[in-house]
Amino acid sequence: MTPKRPVYPFAALVGQERLKLALVLNAINPLIGGVLIRGEKGTAKSTAARGLAELLPPIAMVAGCRFHCHPELAELMCDACRKRQAQGEALPRRDRPMVVVDLPLGTTEDRLLGTIDLEAALKSGEKHFEPGLLASANRGILYVDEVNLLDDHLVDVLLDAAAMGVNVVEREGISFAHPARFILVGTMNPEEGELRPQLLDRFGLCVEVTGLNNLDARMAVVERRLAFERDPEAFAAGWQLEQETIRQSILNARERLPRVSFSRDLLRLITAICVDQGVDGHRADIFMLKVAQTLAAYRGREAVDPADVRQAATLVLPHRLRRQPFSDSEMDENRLEETFRKHAETMESRRAEPPPPQPGAAASDGEDAVLVGEVVVAPGATFPVRPLELPPDRQVKKAPGSRTRTRSEDRTGRYVRPTLVKPAVADLAIDATLRAAAPYQGLRQRGNLALAIREPDLRYKVREKRIGRNILFVVDASGSMGADERMMETKAAILSLLIDAYQKRERVGLIVFGGRQARVALPFTRSVEMAQRYLTNLPTGGKTPLPHALYLARELLRQEKSRHPKDAFLLVLITDGRANLSLVKGRKPMEEVKELAGQIGTLGTNALVLDTERFAPCLDLGCLPELSRILGGRYHSVQSLKAPEVVARITAALGEAPAP
């Protein structure tokens, strides 16, 4: 047997103290709800998670149990082990190393939660549960890289299981539950897009990690890594003492945690912090208390003190503070200090002469966030917009809740109904197949089979998944757009649409043109904050290279449609149409514009042209109505450009009823 290669020691990690603390706290108390690690690549995210698994001691489990149940504690057992224990059976034991279970991006819901064992069902007529990744991760570590790229419904069920400690599967005629207590570690690069706020709130802790800026620390990272690669065994042995110290601290804290108490005054302090920071919901209060108790246990105490609450706030609150998609998510340190000051004064006055209870002071009203940027033309104020939906095509249908979905041609997506038609990738619907075969069992020769299945009985799963929705903004930033507040109102309209796209998980792209050329400012991404930052600081000036902008739009749309053939795309062109710079010397710019528009029209994308020219919008300089016809889209002349009017036009182009 090949000896196991040593894992890079957790204790040898340089810096990243908040990351290491968050992981240790989850190891002490898995009910904290996991940790989301946000940051750039190469900052030891996965190394820290795997190092934590190597650091923790093996776990005792019931030998042969598919769910790695605890051999003594009934609350950590599956139904089968609990039944065996109730019958007086001595459950066999074995030790299992702490494991890290990776959740791949392409994971299906069946693979994650578990499903029916089809072979056993057909042979015995009984429904057997086939465990999924959550069963493998029970009492271990579940590592989800790029969690923001997972389908939302998978993230939802994953976080539900992490919060409850139980995986409940209800599908295809069965209901099954098994313990699923694991340390959830999710990582993400914010440049790839954000998690929806509703899902972000479900993570107990969130840590931002960046590369180290201290030269000595960066040198230490390189030196230690090279030493580990040169001789992993010797390097790991050199850190054994520090590893054992951390391991023993975790074990002691686990033992101490049930005895950690907190006063009602500290609970009042926690809730006051959440109110003063403007946190929605109550998860923050609950998680902050759990983290404060775990910190106290880790520090060798059996009572929570204000220092524990302060540190818990820095781990629990930042990812829950965002009120608007583009506002900063940093905690208001001044307001936090003010909350602690008031708490200290209250405690001091009570010790001197206890006054009657006072109602909690209301949080001071925060000023509305203002988008500020060093720009030539600042954007106008943003405003709410109506929900934007791309018009359905023949392969797309509207599902409940106005979600746009399409039939899946592989085994991904949610199972919605059975069908007799066998798909290209067979996906047997065992529940419907068994129901179809059941009435004929008395008439068929079954041999050694509990059930006799015939070809006409077979049913297959119809799965649906949400289609991707993509909006490509092509924005004129030439000198003529700086007149009459055109650019200010254009920016306000696009920023408002970006807020809506953020909430809908739509991807956005941005092409700007002005000066001598156009450029792809932002390829298609869900990180609409990047689009907002670029757009806010976008200056105006120079010529109008509209042909180059449409050339880039054609190439970008063609590339993205080949990658995502079922996605819906909308091209939004905002310009005054004064094309005055050609791609090829000697050609007229508008000839090139019409030729490129015709090529874009063949791609099957939706299009909307917004003409910002105030006077005579169909001058020879523009002719944007004709351009919109070539694109196969809609044209609107905005005589006096106002952002709400722009949004109304885009809303109409996307198939919505006009705003009242």
Short mmCIF file of all heavy atoms in Angstrom, two decimals, residues 294-354:
data_model
loop_
_atom_site.label_atom_id
_atom_site.label_comp_id
_atom_site.label_asym_id
_atom_site.label_seq_id
_atom_site.Cartn_x
_atom_site.Cartn_y
_atom_site.Cartn_z
N THR A 294 -18.28 30.17 21.14
CA THR A 294 -17.19 29.32 20.67
C THR A 294 -15.85 29.99 20.90
O THR A 294 -14.87 29.32 21.27
CB THR A 294 -17.38 29.00 19.18
OG1 THR A 294 -18.71 28.51 18.97
CG2 THR A 294 -16.40 27.95 18.72
N LEU A 295 -15.78 31.31 20.71
CA LEU A 295 -14.54 32.03 21.00
C LEU A 295 -14.17 31.94 22.47
O LEU A 295 -12.99 31.74 22.82
CB LEU A 295 -14.70 33.50 20.59
CG LEU A 295 -14.56 33.83 19.10
CD1 LEU A 295 -15.08 35.23 18.82
CD2 LEU A 295 -13.10 33.70 18.66
N ALA A 296 -15.15 32.08 23.33
CA ALA A 296 -14.88 31.96 24.76
C ALA A 296 -14.34 30.58 25.10
O ALA A 296 -13.37 30.44 25.86
CB ALA A 296 -16.15 32.26 25.55
N ALA A 297 -14.96 29.54 24.53
CA ALA A 297 -14.49 28.18 24.78
C ALA A 297 -13.07 28.00 24.27
O ALA A 297 -12.23 27.35 24.92
CB ALA A 297 -15.43 27.18 24.12
N TYR A 298 -12.76 28.55 23.11
CA TYR A 298 -11.43 28.42 22.52
C TYR A 298 -10.38 29.14 23.37
O TYR A 298 -9.22 28.72 23.43
CB TYR A 298 -11.47 28.99 21.11
CG TYR A 298 -10.20 28.80 20.31
CD1 TYR A 298 -9.56 27.56 20.25
CD2 TYR A 298 -9.64 29.86 19.61
CE1 TYR A 298 -8.40 27.38 19.51
CE2 TYR A 298 -8.48 29.70 18.86
CZ TYR A 298 -7.87 28.46 18.81
OH TYR A 298 -6.72 28.28 18.08
N ARG A 299 -10.81 30.21 24.02
CA ARG A 299 -9.88 30.98 24.86
C ARG A 299 -9.83 30.48 26.30
O ARG A 299 -9.23 31.12 27.16
CB ARG A 299 -10.29 32.45 24.83
CG ARG A 299 -10.04 33.09 23.46
CD ARG A 299 -10.75 34.40 23.30
NE ARG A 299 -10.41 35.04 22.03
CZ ARG A 299 -11.10 36.03 21.48
NH1 ARG A 299 -12.19 36.49 22.09
NH2 ARG A 299 -10.72 36.56 20.34
N GLY A 300 -10.49 29.37 26.57
CA GLY A 300 -10.37 28.73 27.88
C GLY A 300 -11.32 29.26 28.93
O GLY A 300 -11.11 29.04 30.12
N ARG A 301 -12.39 29.96 28.52
CA ARG A 301 -13.33 30.52 29.47
C ARG A 301 -14.70 29.87 29.33
O ARG A 301 -15.01 29.29 28.29
CB ARG A 301 -13.46 32.03 29.26
CG ARG A 301 -12.23 32.80 29.68
CD ARG A 301 -12.41 34.30 29.52
NE ARG A 301 -12.13 34.73 28.14
CZ ARG A 301 -13.07 35.00 27.25
NH1 ARG A 301 -14.35 34.86 27.58
NH2 ARG A 301 -12.75 35.41 26.04
N GLU A 302 -15.51 29.99 30.39
CA GLU A 302 -16.84 29.41 30.39
C GLU A 302 -17.92 30.48 30.45
O GLU A 302 -19.07 30.21 30.80
CB GLU A 302 -17.00 28.42 31.55
CG GLU A 302 -16.10 27.20 31.41
CD GLU A 302 -16.37 26.15 32.45
OE1 GLU A 302 -17.31 26.33 33.25
OE2 GLU A 302 -15.64 25.14 32.46
N ALA A 303 -17.56 31.71 30.12
CA ALA A 303 -18.52 32.81 30.06
C ALA A 303 -18.10 33.75 28.94
O ALA A 303 -16.91 34.02 28.75
CB ALA A 303 -18.59 33.56 31.40
N VAL A 304 -19.09 34.25 28.22
CA VAL A 304 -18.83 35.16 27.11
C VAL A 304 -18.59 36.56 27.67
O VAL A 304 -19.28 37.01 28.58
CB VAL A 304 -20.03 35.18 26.14
CG1 VAL A 304 -19.79 36.17 25.01
CG2 VAL A 304 -20.28 33.79 25.58
N ASP A 305 -17.59 37.27 27.11
CA ASP A 305 -17.37 38.66 27.51
C ASP A 305 -17.44 39.57 26.27
O ASP A 305 -17.50 39.08 25.14
CB ASP A 305 -16.05 38.83 28.28
CG ASP A 305 -14.83 38.58 27.41
OD1 ASP A 305 -14.93 38.63 26.16
OD2 ASP A 305 -13.75 38.32 27.97
N PRO A 306 -17.46 40.89 26.47
CA PRO A 306 -17.61 41.81 25.33
C PRO A 306 -16.54 41.65 24.25
O PRO A 306 -16.80 41.90 23.07
CB PRO A 306 -17.55 43.20 25.98
CG PRO A 306 -18.07 42.97 27.37
CD PRO A 306 -17.55 41.62 27.76
N ALA A 307 -15.32 41.25 24.63
CA ALA A 307 -14.26 41.06 23.63
C ALA A 307 -14.64 39.95 22.65
O ALA A 307 -14.34 40.03 21.45
CB ALA A 307 -12.94 40.75 24.32
N ASP A 308 -15.29 38.90 23.15
CA ASP A 308 -15.74 37.82 22.27
C ASP A 308 -16.81 38.34 21.30
O ASP A 308 -16.81 37.99 20.12
CB ASP A 308 -16.33 36.67 23.10
CG ASP A 308 -15.32 36.08 24.07
OD1 ASP A 308 -14.14 35.98 23.71
OD2 ASP A 308 -15.73 35.74 25.20
N VAL A 309 -17.71 39.16 21.81
CA VAL A 309 -18.77 39.72 20.96
C VAL A 309 -18.18 40.61 19.88
O VAL A 309 -18.59 40.56 18.71
CB VAL A 309 -19.78 40.51 21.82
CG1 VAL A 309 -20.81 41.20 20.94
CG2 VAL A 309 -20.47 39.57 22.81
N ARG A 310 -17.20 41.42 20.24
CA ARG A 310 -16.58 42.33 19.27
C ARG A 310 -15.94 41.54 18.12
O ARG A 310 -16.12 41.86 16.95
CB ARG A 310 -15.53 43.20 19.96
CG ARG A 310 -14.90 44.24 19.03
CD ARG A 310 -13.76 44.96 19.74
NE ARG A 310 -14.23 45.69 20.90
CZ ARG A 310 -14.68 46.94 20.86
NH1 ARG A 310 -14.72 47.58 19.70
NH2 ARG A 310 -15.07 47.54 21.96
N GLN A 311 -15.18 40.49 18.46
CA GLN A 311 -14.53 39.71 17.41
C GLN A 311 -15.55 38.91 16.60
O GLN A 311 -15.41 38.76 15.38
CB GLN A 311 -13.49 38.76 18.01
CG GLN A 311 -12.62 38.08 16.95
CD GLN A 311 -11.35 37.51 17.53
OE1 GLN A 311 -11.22 37.35 18.73
NE2 GLN A 311 -10.40 37.19 16.66
N ALA A 312 -16.59 38.42 17.26
CA ALA A 312 -17.64 37.70 16.54
C ALA A 312 -18.32 38.61 15.52
O ALA A 312 -18.65 38.18 14.41
CB ALA A 312 -18.67 37.15 17.53
N ALA A 313 -18.51 39.87 15.88
CA ALA A 313 -19.16 40.81 14.95
C ALA A 313 -18.36 40.96 13.67
O ALA A 313 -18.92 41.07 12.58
CB ALA A 313 -19.35 42.16 15.63
N THR A 314 -17.02 40.97 13.76
CA THR A 314 -16.19 41.15 12.56
C THR A 314 -16.25 39.94 11.63
O THR A 314 -15.94 40.06 10.44
CB THR A 314 -14.73 41.40 12.95
OG1 THR A 314 -14.19 40.24 13.60
CG2 THR A 314 -14.63 42.60 13.88
N LEU A 315 -16.65 38.79 12.15
CA LEU A 315 -16.74 37.58 11.33
C LEU A 315 -18.15 37.33 10.81
O LEU A 315 -18.33 36.72 9.76
CB LEU A 315 -16.29 36.36 12.15
CG LEU A 315 -14.82 36.33 12.57
CD1 LEU A 315 -14.59 35.21 13.58
CD2 LEU A 315 -13.91 36.13 11.37
N VAL A 316 -19.15 37.81 11.54
CA VAL A 316 -20.54 37.47 11.23
C VAL A 316 -21.24 38.56 10.42
O VAL A 316 -22.10 38.24 9.58
CB VAL A 316 -21.31 37.20 12.55
CG1 VAL A 316 -22.80 37.07 12.29
CG2 VAL A 316 -20.77 35.96 13.23
N LEU A 317 -20.88 39.82 10.62
CA LEU A 317 -21.69 40.91 10.06
C LEU A 317 -21.32 41.39 8.66
O LEU A 317 -22.23 41.73 7.90
CB LEU A 317 -21.65 42.12 11.01
CG LEU A 317 -22.34 41.93 12.37
CD1 LEU A 317 -22.31 43.24 13.14
CD2 LEU A 317 -23.77 41.45 12.19
N PRO A 318 -20.04 41.49 8.28
CA PRO A 318 -19.73 42.20 7.03
C PRO A 318 -20.51 41.74 5.81
O PRO A 318 -20.96 42.57 5.01
CB PRO A 318 -18.22 41.95 6.86
CG PRO A 318 -17.72 41.83 8.27
CD PRO A 318 -18.81 41.10 9.00
N HIS A 319 -20.71 40.43 5.63
CA HIS A 319 -21.42 39.97 4.42
C HIS A 319 -22.92 40.10 4.55
O HIS A 319 -23.65 39.75 3.60
CB HIS A 319 -21.03 38.53 4.10
CG HIS A 319 -21.38 37.52 5.16
ND1 HIS A 319 -20.87 37.56 6.43
CD2 HIS A 319 -22.19 36.42 5.13
CE1 HIS A 319 -21.33 36.54 7.13
NE2 HIS A 319 -22.15 35.84 6.37
N ARG A 320 -23.41 40.61 5.67
CA ARG A 320 -24.85 40.78 5.85
C ARG A 320 -25.26 42.26 5.84
O ARG A 320 -26.43 42.56 6.06
CB ARG A 320 -25.29 40.15 7.17
CG ARG A 320 -25.13 38.65 7.22
CD ARG A 320 -25.68 38.08 8.52
NE ARG A 320 -25.83 36.65 8.42
CZ ARG A 320 -24.89 35.77 8.71
NH1 ARG A 320 -23.72 36.19 9.14
NH2 ARG A 320 -25.10 34.48 8.57
N LEU A 321 -24.33 43.15 5.62
CA LEU A 321 -24.61 44.57 5.78
C LEU A 321 -25.06 45.25 4.51
O LEU A 321 -25.55 46.37 4.55
CB LEU A 321 -23.35 45.30 6.29
CG LEU A 321 -22.88 44.89 7.68
CD1 LEU A 321 -21.63 45.65 8.04
CD2 LEU A 321 -23.96 45.13 8.72
N ARG A 322 -24.91 44.62 3.38
CA ARG A 322 -25.14 45.29 2.11
C ARG A 322 -26.62 45.62 1.94
O ARG A 322 -27.45 44.74 1.86
CB ARG A 322 -24.67 44.41 0.96
CG ARG A 322 -24.65 45.12 -0.37
CD ARG A 322 -24.19 44.16 -1.42
NE ARG A 322 -22.92 43.59 -1.05
CZ ARG A 322 -21.85 43.63 -1.81
NH1 ARG A 322 -21.91 44.21 -2.96
NH2 ARG A 322 -20.73 43.08 -1.41
N ARG A 323 -26.92 46.90 1.86
CA ARG A 323 -28.29 47.35 1.64
C ARG A 323 -28.60 47.47 0.16
O ARG A 323 -29.67 47.12 -0.29
CB ARG A 323 -28.49 48.71 2.31
CG ARG A 323 -28.54 48.64 3.81
CD ARG A 323 -29.80 47.98 4.29
NE ARG A 323 -29.97 48.16 5.71
CZ ARG A 323 -31.10 47.92 6.34
NH1 ARG A 323 -32.15 47.52 5.68
NH2 ARG A 323 -31.19 48.08 7.64
N GLN A 324 -27.64 48.02 -0.59
CA GLN A 324 -27.79 48.15 -2.03
C GLN A 324 -26.67 47.36 -2.68
O GLN A 324 -25.59 47.22 -2.12
CB GLN A 324 -27.71 49.62 -2.47
CG GLN A 324 -28.85 50.47 -1.95
CD GLN A 324 -30.19 50.06 -2.55
OE1 GLN A 324 -30.24 49.55 -3.66
NE2 GLN A 324 -31.27 50.28 -1.82
N PRO A 325 -26.89 46.83 -3.88
CA PRO A 325 -25.88 45.99 -4.50
C PRO A 325 -24.52 46.65 -4.65
O PRO A 325 -23.51 45.99 -4.60
CB PRO A 325 -26.49 45.67 -5.87
CG PRO A 325 -27.96 45.81 -5.67
CD PRO A 325 -28.13 46.88 -4.66
N PHE A 326 -24.46 47.98 -4.83
CA PHE A 326 -23.19 48.62 -5.12
C PHE A 326 -22.63 49.39 -3.93
O PHE A 326 -21.65 50.10 -4.06
CB PHE A 326 -23.33 49.57 -6.31
CG PHE A 326 -23.89 48.88 -7.52
CD1 PHE A 326 -24.92 49.44 -8.24
CD2 PHE A 326 -23.38 47.67 -7.93
CE1 PHE A 326 -25.43 48.81 -9.35
CE2 PHE A 326 -23.88 47.03 -9.04
CZ PHE A 326 -24.91 47.60 -9.75
N SER A 327 -23.27 49.28 -2.79
CA SER A 327 -22.75 49.97 -1.63
C SER A 327 -21.69 49.13 -0.97
O SER A 327 -21.63 47.92 -1.13
CB SER A 327 -23.88 50.27 -0.63
OG SER A 327 -24.48 49.07 -0.20
N ASP A 328 -20.81 49.79 -0.19
CA ASP A 328 -19.76 49.06 0.50
C ASP A 328 -20.37 48.14 1.54
O ASP A 328 -21.36 48.46 2.19
CB ASP A 328 -18.81 50.04 1.20
CG ASP A 328 -17.99 50.83 0.20
OD1 ASP A 328 -17.80 50.33 -0.92
OD2 ASP A 328 -17.55 51.94 0.54
N SER A 329 -19.72 46.95 1.72
CA SER A 329 -20.23 45.98 2.69
C SER A 329 -19.39 45.99 3.96
O SER A 329 -19.46 45.06 4.75
CB SER A 329 -20.22 44.57 2.07
OG SER A 329 -18.91 44.21 1.68
N GLU A 330 -18.57 47.04 4.15
CA GLU A 330 -17.76 47.10 5.34
C GLU A 330 -18.60 47.55 6.53
O GLU A 330 -19.52 48.35 6.40
CB GLU A 330 -16.59 48.07 5.13
CG GLU A 330 -15.61 47.61 4.06
CD GLU A 330 -14.46 48.57 3.90
OE1 GLU A 330 -14.47 49.61 4.60
OE2 GLU A 330 -13.57 48.30 3.09
N MET A 331 -18.22 47.02 7.70
CA MET A 331 -18.94 47.38 8.91
C MET A 331 -18.59 48.80 9.32
O MET A 331 -17.46 49.26 9.13
CB MET A 331 -18.57 46.38 10.01
CG MET A 331 -19.38 46.52 11.27
SD MET A 331 -19.21 45.05 12.30
CE MET A 331 -17.44 44.91 12.43
N ASP A 332 -19.57 49.50 9.84
CA ASP A 332 -19.36 50.88 10.31
C ASP A 332 -18.68 50.81 11.68
O ASP A 332 -19.32 50.59 12.71
CB ASP A 332 -20.72 51.59 10.40
CG ASP A 332 -20.56 53.08 10.67
OD1 ASP A 332 -19.57 53.47 11.31
OD2 ASP A 332 -21.45 53.85 10.25
N GLU A 333 -17.35 50.98 11.68
CA GLU A 333 -16.59 50.84 12.92
C GLU A 333 -16.97 51.92 13.93
O GLU A 333 -17.01 51.65 15.14
CB GLU A 333 -15.09 50.91 12.61
CG GLU A 333 -14.56 49.76 11.77
CD GLU A 333 -14.52 48.45 12.55
OE1 GLU A 333 -14.66 48.49 13.79
OE2 GLU A 333 -14.36 47.39 11.90
N ASN A 334 -17.23 53.12 13.45
CA ASN A 334 -17.60 54.20 14.39
C ASN A 334 -18.91 53.88 15.10
O ASN A 334 -19.05 54.09 16.31
CB ASN A 334 -17.71 55.53 13.64
CG ASN A 334 -16.37 56.02 13.13
OD1 ASN A 334 -15.33 55.72 13.72
ND2 ASN A 334 -16.38 56.77 12.04
N ARG A 335 -19.86 53.36 14.32
CA ARG A 335 -21.15 53.02 14.93
C ARG A 335 -20.99 51.85 15.90
O ARG A 335 -21.66 51.78 16.94
CB ARG A 335 -22.16 52.70 13.84
CG ARG A 335 -23.56 52.44 14.37
CD ARG A 335 -24.58 52.45 13.25
NE ARG A 335 -24.74 53.79 12.70
CZ ARG A 335 -25.57 54.09 11.71
NH1 ARG A 335 -26.31 53.16 11.17
NH2 ARG A 335 -25.66 55.33 11.27
N LEU A 336 -20.09 50.90 15.55
CA LEU A 336 -19.84 49.77 16.46
C LEU A 336 -19.26 50.26 17.78
O LEU A 336 -19.69 49.81 18.87
CB LEU A 336 -18.89 48.78 15.79
CG LEU A 336 -18.53 47.53 16.60
CD1 LEU A 336 -19.76 46.65 16.81
CD2 LEU A 336 -17.43 46.73 15.90
N GLU A 337 -18.30 51.18 17.69
CA GLU A 337 -17.71 51.72 18.92
C GLU A 337 -18.75 52.47 19.74
O GLU A 337 -18.75 52.40 20.98
CB GLU A 337 -16.55 52.66 18.57
CG GLU A 337 -15.33 51.96 17.98
CD GLU A 337 -14.77 50.91 18.92
OE1 GLU A 337 -14.78 51.14 20.15
OE2 GLU A 337 -14.33 49.85 18.43
N GLU A 338 -19.65 53.17 19.07
CA GLU A 338 -20.70 53.89 19.79
C GLU A 338 -21.63 52.92 20.51
O GLU A 338 -22.06 53.18 21.65
CB GLU A 338 -21.49 54.75 18.80
CG GLU A 338 -22.63 55.54 19.42
CD GLU A 338 -22.15 56.61 20.38
OE1 GLU A 338 -20.94 56.93 20.37
OE2 GLU A 338 -23.00 57.13 21.14
N THR A 339 -21.93 51.78 19.88
CA THR A 339 -22.78 50.78 20.53
C THR A 339 -22.11 50.23 21.78
O THR A 339 -22.74 50.07 22.84
CB THR A 339 -23.09 49.63 19.55
OG1 THR A 339 -23.65 50.15 18.35
CG2 THR A 339 -24.07 48.64 20.17
N PHE A 340 -20.81 49.94 21.69
CA PHE A 340 -20.09 49.43 22.86
C PHE A 340 -19.99 50.49 23.94
O PHE A 340 -20.07 50.18 25.14
CB PHE A 340 -18.68 48.95 22.44
CG PHE A 340 -18.64 47.52 22.01
CD1 PHE A 340 -18.80 47.17 20.69
CD2 PHE A 340 -18.43 46.50 22.94
CE1 PHE A 340 -18.76 45.84 20.28
CE2 PHE A 340 -18.39 45.18 22.55
CZ PHE A 340 -18.56 44.84 21.21
N ARG A 341 -19.82 51.75 23.54
CA ARG A 341 -19.75 52.82 24.54
C ARG A 341 -21.06 52.93 25.31
O ARG A 341 -21.07 53.04 26.55
CB ARG A 341 -19.42 54.14 23.86
CG ARG A 341 -19.18 55.30 24.83
CD ARG A 341 -19.04 56.62 24.10
NE ARG A 341 -20.28 57.00 23.42
CZ ARG A 341 -21.34 57.52 24.03
NH1 ARG A 341 -21.31 57.73 25.35
NH2 ARG A 341 -22.43 57.83 23.35
N LYS A 342 -22.17 52.90 24.59
CA LYS A 342 -23.48 52.96 25.26
C LYS A 342 -23.68 51.76 26.19
O LYS A 342 -24.21 51.91 27.29
CB LYS A 342 -24.58 53.01 24.22
CG LYS A 342 -24.66 54.31 23.43
CD LYS A 342 -25.80 54.26 22.43
CE LYS A 342 -25.90 55.57 21.65
NZ LYS A 342 -27.00 55.52 20.64
N HIS A 343 -23.23 50.59 25.73
CA HIS A 343 -23.37 49.40 26.57
C HIS A 343 -22.56 49.54 27.85
O HIS A 343 -23.04 49.22 28.95
CB HIS A 343 -22.92 48.16 25.78
CG HIS A 343 -22.88 46.90 26.60
ND1 HIS A 343 -24.01 46.22 26.98
CD2 HIS A 343 -21.83 46.22 27.13
CE1 HIS A 343 -23.67 45.16 27.68
NE2 HIS A 343 -22.36 45.13 27.80
N ALA A 344 -21.32 50.03 27.71
CA ALA A 344 -20.47 50.20 28.89
C ALA A 344 -21.07 51.21 29.86
O ALA A 344 -21.04 51.02 31.09
CB ALA A 344 -19.06 50.62 28.47
N GLU A 345 -21.60 52.31 29.35
CA GLU A 345 -22.23 53.32 30.21
C GLU A 345 -23.44 52.75 30.94
O GLU A 345 -23.66 53.02 32.12
CB GLU A 345 -22.63 54.53 29.38
CG GLU A 345 -21.46 55.37 28.89
CD GLU A 345 -21.91 56.54 28.04
OE1 GLU A 345 -23.14 56.62 27.75
OE2 GLU A 345 -21.06 57.38 27.67
N THR A 346 -24.22 51.96 30.22
CA THR A 346 -25.39 51.35 30.85
C THR A 346 -24.99 50.42 31.98
O THR A 346 -25.58 50.43 33.07
CB THR A 346 -26.21 50.58 29.80
OG1 THR A 346 -26.63 51.47 28.77
CG2 THR A 346 -27.43 49.93 30.43
N MET A 347 -23.96 49.60 31.73
CA MET A 347 -23.50 48.67 32.77
C MET A 347 -22.95 49.44 33.97
O MET A 347 -23.17 49.04 35.12
CB MET A 347 -22.43 47.74 32.19
CG MET A 347 -22.93 46.83 31.06
SD MET A 347 -24.29 45.77 31.59
CE MET A 347 -23.47 44.78 32.83
N GLU A 348 -22.22 50.52 33.72
CA GLU A 348 -21.66 51.30 34.82
C GLU A 348 -22.76 51.95 35.65
O GLU A 348 -22.71 51.96 36.89
CB GLU A 348 -20.73 52.37 34.24
CG GLU A 348 -19.98 53.17 35.30
CD GLU A 348 -19.00 52.32 36.08
OE1 GLU A 348 -18.50 51.31 35.52
OE2 GLU A 348 -18.74 52.65 37.26
N SER A 349 -23.78 52.48 34.99
CA SER A 349 -24.87 53.11 35.74
C SER A 349 -25.66 52.10 36.54
O SER A 349 -26.14 52.40 37.63
CB SER A 349 -25.79 53.87 34.77
OG SER A 349 -26.41 52.96 33.87
N ARG A 350 -25.77 50.89 36.01
CA ARG A 350 -26.49 49.85 36.76
C ARG A 350 -25.73 49.47 38.02
O ARG A 350 -26.32 49.17 39.06
CB ARG A 350 -26.71 48.63 35.88
CG ARG A 350 -27.81 48.81 34.85
CD ARG A 350 -28.02 47.53 34.07
NE ARG A 350 -29.08 47.69 33.08
CZ ARG A 350 -29.46 46.74 32.24
NH1 ARG A 350 -28.88 45.56 32.28
NH2 ARG A 350 -30.42 46.98 31.39
N ARG A 351 -24.39 49.43 37.89
CA ARG A 351 -23.61 49.07 39.07
C ARG A 351 -23.70 50.17 40.13
O ARG A 351 -23.70 49.89 41.34
CB ARG A 351 -22.14 48.85 38.68
CG ARG A 351 -21.88 47.49 38.05
CD ARG A 351 -20.39 47.22 37.95
NE ARG A 351 -19.75 48.09 36.97
CZ ARG A 351 -19.58 47.74 35.69
NH1 ARG A 351 -20.02 46.56 35.27
NH2 ARG A 351 -19.00 48.57 34.85
N ALA A 352 -23.80 51.42 39.70
CA ALA A 352 -23.89 52.52 40.66
C ALA A 352 -25.26 52.57 41.32
O ALA A 352 -25.39 52.55 42.53
CB ALA A 352 -23.59 53.84 39.96
N GLU A 353 -26.27 52.66 40.51
CA GLU A 353 -27.65 52.71 41.03
C GLU A 353 -28.57 52.21 39.93
O GLU A 353 -28.90 52.93 39.00
CB GLU A 353 -28.02 54.15 41.42
CG GLU A 353 -29.42 54.24 42.02
CD GLU A 353 -29.75 55.66 42.41
OE1 GLU A 353 -28.85 56.52 42.35
OE2 GLU A 353 -30.91 55.90 42.77
N PRO A 354 -29.02 50.99 40.03
CA PRO A 354 -29.79 50.39 38.93
C PRO A 354 -31.05 51.20 38.63
O PRO A 354 -31.91 51.37 39.49
CB PRO A 354 -30.16 49.00 39.46
CG PRO A 354 -29.14 48.73 40.52
CD PRO A 354 -28.80 50.04 41.12
#
